[in-house]
Structure formats: structure tokens, C-alpha cells
Amino acid sequence: MNVLQVSAEIFPLLKTGGLADIAGALPAALQTVGCQVRVVLPGFPAILDDLGDSWVMAELTAPWGERLQLRQGRLRTLALDAYVIDLPHLYARPGSPYEDAWRQPYADNHRRFALLSWVAAQLAHGLDTHWQPQVVHSHDWHAGLTSAYMAFMSHSSLRVATVFTIHNLAYQGVFSPACFYELGLPHEAFGVNGVEFYGQLSFMKAGLYYSDYITTVSPTYAREIQTPQQGCGFDGLLRTRSGSLSGILNAVDDAVWNPAIDHHLSNRYNVSDMIGKSNCKAALQEELGLTIQADAPLFGVVSRLTDQKGLHLVMGAIDAILSRGGQLVVLGTGDAYLESLFKARAAQHPQTVSVRIGYDEAYAHRIFSATDVTLVPSQFEPCGLTQMYGLKYGSLPLVHSVGGLADTVVDCSLENMAEGRANGFVFDDFNQQALERAVARAFALYARKPEWKRVRACGMRQDLGWQSAARQYAALYRHLCA
């Protein structure tokens, strides 16, 4: 089964969020279940620099007239065959893949990511005469136009199935309708039954409408997005496509997120020998200037600092955490007002609160290894990987009961603990009072060390690997190709 994966980023070469983790781990997992996977990526410098043994497979003209080279080679770090779009004018820029240094989206993002989809469609229809995909699997809005381009290409004997995965429906790739006319799609594509969305051009809508099958990154999120509350304006379309929509829970790459082998940690550990975790906690407290106190519950946040992630609730709950003797460490970047509020609290309480603005992969690993509780109080969460990292590292997740958080975290209620299923703390109502009640439960359990250790061990033993997801994707591919 030949599968072409289309994504804007891929870990560890380029990462802004969980999408990259999935794009980096899924190909290797699929290889173990009989799929041959190649990826097509934009030519961001970090990706081109990793492309070994590359050669110009094709020279093409984009729909708006720019010439580009499509390079083929092998990503050294991932040992993965790849096609990379070589067009420095579009991709060799400072800032993030999507925004400039002032956090403003690039004005030509519609071209930059339409080109990714357009090239993927060319590959689907025989551009590489030596390798033909049977399935094209596109990820999130950046690759949303892939199935639209494929739908309007001249028909041939090729029948290539299309799968589109929603990582976060709230990010939709919406552009002015004037941008549509640069992209090489026929006029009939700009309509209600097409890429038009309330008068605008939506890359996400293209993926939802034209793909053969839609997946989300958790079963609960697949149900939630068919409701007005979480459908982001697409709930009607998604209900009509409910027969071709399902959720496949994301997973964690055990080669990257594993405290027993993690090279980012000064002290490694596993569920049978947790001394290393205690040492990691003390080391991080010392590094950050926090009071070195083994019996002070250490709460961690590794997240975008936005209201959607529930970080305003965490801000409101800091006093409740500190008054009970806890400590808090925060790593993230996001809304300016939240960044400034968190920094101010750290300045007020330097021995109990630490805040670092930005993202540091190695530091994130150290936070999970050191903390006792991982806070993920998101308003909505398609899947969430942070709570899974917490489970792997023995940092009990405290989560809002939505999306993938509801699919992976079981509350420490008496009945769940009696059944041996509890692995964290869950609250239902999205408000500060509900969060603080969950925080109180965390302190209560932490005071009961034998019970805390049993719950922690349950979480660490949970199977969060890629094999189950890979088997589900492979079965879906086979079904579509049949």
C-alpha cells in the first residue's frame, strides 16, 4: 500500500505544535503494518537541509506562474523518502512557518500552502513515474486543497483515495475570495458545494468537502465537531459526511517520549524505579530557583498561552495552588496579555512560580519529568498530546473533559480507583471553580502517597503507542482502495 503524506511541518525538523509530532511519527508506524510511506513537504530551510541524496525530480510552473523545482531525496533524521518543494522565495523566511517576526500571517500564505496541495495532486496523478501512491493523506488546513485539486484534474485510469485529517477545526485557512483566482481551480469550485465559506475561501472546507474520508485525532472530537458548539461553522457539513468521518486517537512516539531512555533528562527512570523522577524534580527546582521541596506538589504547564487552552483559568487558580503549598512551572507562548500576567506572577512569587515564554523541546521534557501534575484545562481539545506526555512521565494530567482529553484521562473518583482505571483528574464545567475543585482533589490524593503511586503507575503503564492507530489507518486505506 503506497501512501503519500502531505503536511506543512514534521518533527523533529520543523515543529510549531502537535501536528508535527504526528506527521513525524505516523509514517514509521505505518511502515510496520505494510504501508510504504513517502511525504511531500514545503521547502522550509530546516527540511531542505535534512534532505540527503536529493535531485530535481521535476521543474514545474505554479498555477500563478512561478517556476519551482520539486526535489526528491531522503530525510536523514527520519530515514524517510520525501518530495520537497524548492522555492526559496516562498519558504526561506524568518519567523515561524506561518507568521513573520511580528506574529502576523504572511500575506501570501494562500500561495505557500496551495502550492503544497497542488504538488501533492501532481504526484497523485503520476508525476513520479517510478512510484504511484494509492492513498493521499493530507493533514490540516495547510494541505486542505489537495483533494480539491485532485477532484478537478483530468480523469485517468488512476483511482487514488484521499484522506483528510483534522487536527484542529478552529484553524481553517480562510482567505479573501480574490485569492481563489490565483490558485488554478475552476470557477465551479468556489461555491457552497466547494471551497467557499461565508463568502471567503477556506482551505479547511476544501478538505472536508472533497476528500473521500475525514478523520479527526480522537473519537470524542469526531462527535463534538458535528455539534454547533464545536463545529466552528462546519457542523452541518460534517453531519452530512458523518458516514465518512471517524476519530483515530493520536499516540506518542515511544522513542522520543520515554523517561527510561530520554537523553534530555539528567536522571532517567521507569515505572518500576521512580527515584530518577524525584531527582528530576529537585534538579528542576534548583535550576529555576524554586524552593527545593520534595513534598510540594509541582504543577506544570506546557502549552500555547491562550484562552482556548484554558490558561486564563490557570491564572485565576494560581493562588489556590500556592495557598495549599504547591508550585507552578509554565512554558509557552501566546496571547500577550496572558504572557505578561504569568510573568508578573512569577516576579511576585519567584520561589514558587517559574514562567518561561517561548518553546524549548528539551526543557519541555524536563518539565514533564519533574512535575507531579500536568495542567491541560482546554476549552476544546481535538486530541492533546500534553496529557499523554504527562502520563508517560508520571505527571498526572488534570484536564477538562473534552475531545482527546476525555478519551485518555480517567478521573480519580473512588469507583475508578477501586477498579484500577484512574490516571488523573477530570472536571466537566469550563470555569475556574471547577478547575480549583480538581486541584483540591489532586492535593488530597498527593497526601495519600500509596494511592498516588498506584494511580501514577496506572498512567505510566497505559498503552499510548502508535501501533493501534497505525492499524486503524491501514484498515481505512484498504477499505477506501477496495
Side-chain angles (χ1 to χ4, degrees), residues 61-101:
T61 302
W64 53 89
E66 271 188 303
R67 294 289 291 172
L68 65 115
Q69 292 183 334
L70 181 62
R71 304 192 72 86
Q72 183 178 352
R74 192 166 176 83
L75 297 173
R76 300 184 188 93
T77 303
L78 289 157
L80 182 62
D81 291 328
Y83 306 96
V84 179
I85 303 166
D86 191 359
L87 186 55
H89 166 65
L90 287 187
Y91 303 119
R93 299 177 180 178
S96 84
Y98 318 113
E99 301 174 337
D100 61 24

Side-chain angles (χ1 to χ4, degrees), residues 461-476:
R461 291 191 175 102
Q462 196 165 329
D463 182 7
L464 299 170
W466 270 105
Q467 279 304 299
S468 175
R471 286 192 293 268
Q472 291 177 70
Y473 279 119
L476 172 60

Side-chain angles (χ1 to χ4, degrees), residues 285 290-291 293 296-299 321-322 325-329 351-352:
Q285 288 173 325
L290 303 178
T291 302
Q293 191 174 351
L298 182 57
F299 291 73
I321 292 172
L322 301 187
Q327 299 177 346
L328 175 67
V329 55
Q351 294 184 316
T352 49

Side-chain angles (χ1 to χ4, degrees), residues 146-167:
T146 304
S147 52
Y149 280 121
M150 291 174 63
F152 289 103
M153 294 181 79
S154 58
H155 292 286
S156 68
S157 58
L158 294 176
R159 173 66 184 96
V160 181
T162 53
V163 176
F164 180 66
T165 294
I166 306 166
H167 291 259

